[in-house]
Amino acid sequence: MAKINPLIALPPILFAGLAGLFIFGMGREDAQQLPSSQIGRDAPSLAAVTPLGDLAPLSDEMLRTGGVKLVNYWASWCAPCRVEHPQLETLAQEGVTIYGVNYKDEAPAAQKFLAEMGNPYAAIGQDEPGRTALEWGVYGVPETYILTSDGKIAYRFAGPITVEIMEKYIKPEIAKAGE
């Protein structure tokens, strides 16, 4: 009787494993969302951010006091940041405190962006070298973090906040962070 090589079974086993991973990935609630290791941790320091012109400067203490707040990383050169900006304006008008961190941008361009689009930020800082963003785990802009009243990261959203995303994810997560 001929012996069967066990390597013959390897391709179907590998295929089944890959298919299982794809099915699992498609079944996630939001397949577009990237995981974050920062959830539940204290927000990293903003000590390295610098003021942006004469706008209200962002301080590290602001993250750790007061109610629920958003920290939004953005840049004037970022097209998706323009898409999400009206939603940030809406949230600010509804009383949500939003702090902005201008990422790898030149101050005059950032100020022109805000003059043109409006300024939803209660305070703002500039992270021109991008070092603070690395500590926060920012993949790219725009990226928004929801912080609890004591400065812990409750939720992270990578990408532009659309009206649908604001209603489906951001507002419920703000409410949950306030509990």
Side-chain angles (χ1 to χ4, degrees), residues 12 15 19 21 25 33 35 39 43 50 52-53 94 96 104 123 140 156-157 172:
F15 177 78
L21 283 174
Q33 203 53 309
I39 304 299
T50 58
L52 180 61
E94 292 175 357
V96 176
K104 291 189 175 185
R156 173 184 155 272
F157 187 82

Side-chain angles (χ1 to χ4, degrees), residues 26-52:
M26 289 173 24
R28 290 189 343 206
E29 186 173 321
D30 185 3
Q32 299 293 336
Q33 203 53 309
L34 299 168
S36 175
S37 62
Q38 300 285 7
I39 304 299
R41 294 184 178 180
D42 288 336
S45 173
L46 288 177
V49 299
T50 58
L52 180 61

Side-chain angles (χ1 to χ4, degrees), residues 2-176:
K3 251 184 162 180
I4 297 176
N5 188 343
L7 292 177
I8 291 176
L10 191 59
I13 291 170
L14 287 174
F15 177 78
L18 277 173
L21 283 174
F22 290 143
I23 290 169
F24 173 75
M26 289 173 24
R28 290 189 343 206
E29 186 173 321
D30 185 3
Q32 299 293 336
Q33 203 53 309
L34 299 168
S36 175
S37 62
Q38 300 285 7
I39 304 299
R41 294 184 178 180
D42 288 336
S45 173
L46 288 177
V49 299
T50 58
L52 180 61
D54 60 355
L55 298 172
L58 180 58
S59 72
D60 197 54
E61 183 183 332
M62 292 175 177
L63 302 182
R64 307 192 199 295
T65 58
V68 174
K69 67 228 30 112
L70 270 62
V71 175
N72 176 254
Y73 279 81
W74 65 280
S76 65
W77 46 262
C78 162
C81 294
R82 289 186 179 274
V83 171
E84 88 167 352
H85 206 78
Q87 284 64 252
L88 296 177
E89 292 269 308
T90 298
L91 288 168
Q93 289 167 2
E94 292 175 357
V96 176
T97 301
I98 306 172
Y99 298 126
V101 179
N102 182 242
Y103 175 74
K104 291 189 175 185
D105 206 352
E106 295 180 6
Q111 291 170 317
K112 182 179 176 190
F113 177 94
L114 292 173
E116 187 181 301
M117 301 287 292
N119 184 358
Y121 304 113
I124 193 163
Q126 190 170 20
D127 183 21
E128 193 170 353
R131 287 191 187 107
T132 300
L134 284 175
E135 291 177 23
W136 280 68
V138 172
Y139 285 93
V141 289
E143 199 157 311
T144 304
Y145 294 82
I146 298 174
L147 275 58
T148 60
S149 60
D150 61 352
K152 293 198 183 310
I153 296 176
Y155 184 76
R156 173 184 155 272
F157 187 82
I161 297 171
T162 62
V163 172
E164 179 184 349
I165 287 168
M166 182 174 67
E167 295 300 328
K168 188 174 181 181
Y169 298 107
I170 303 300
K171 286 183 177 180
E173 291 293 337
I174 289 171
K176 194 175 0 173

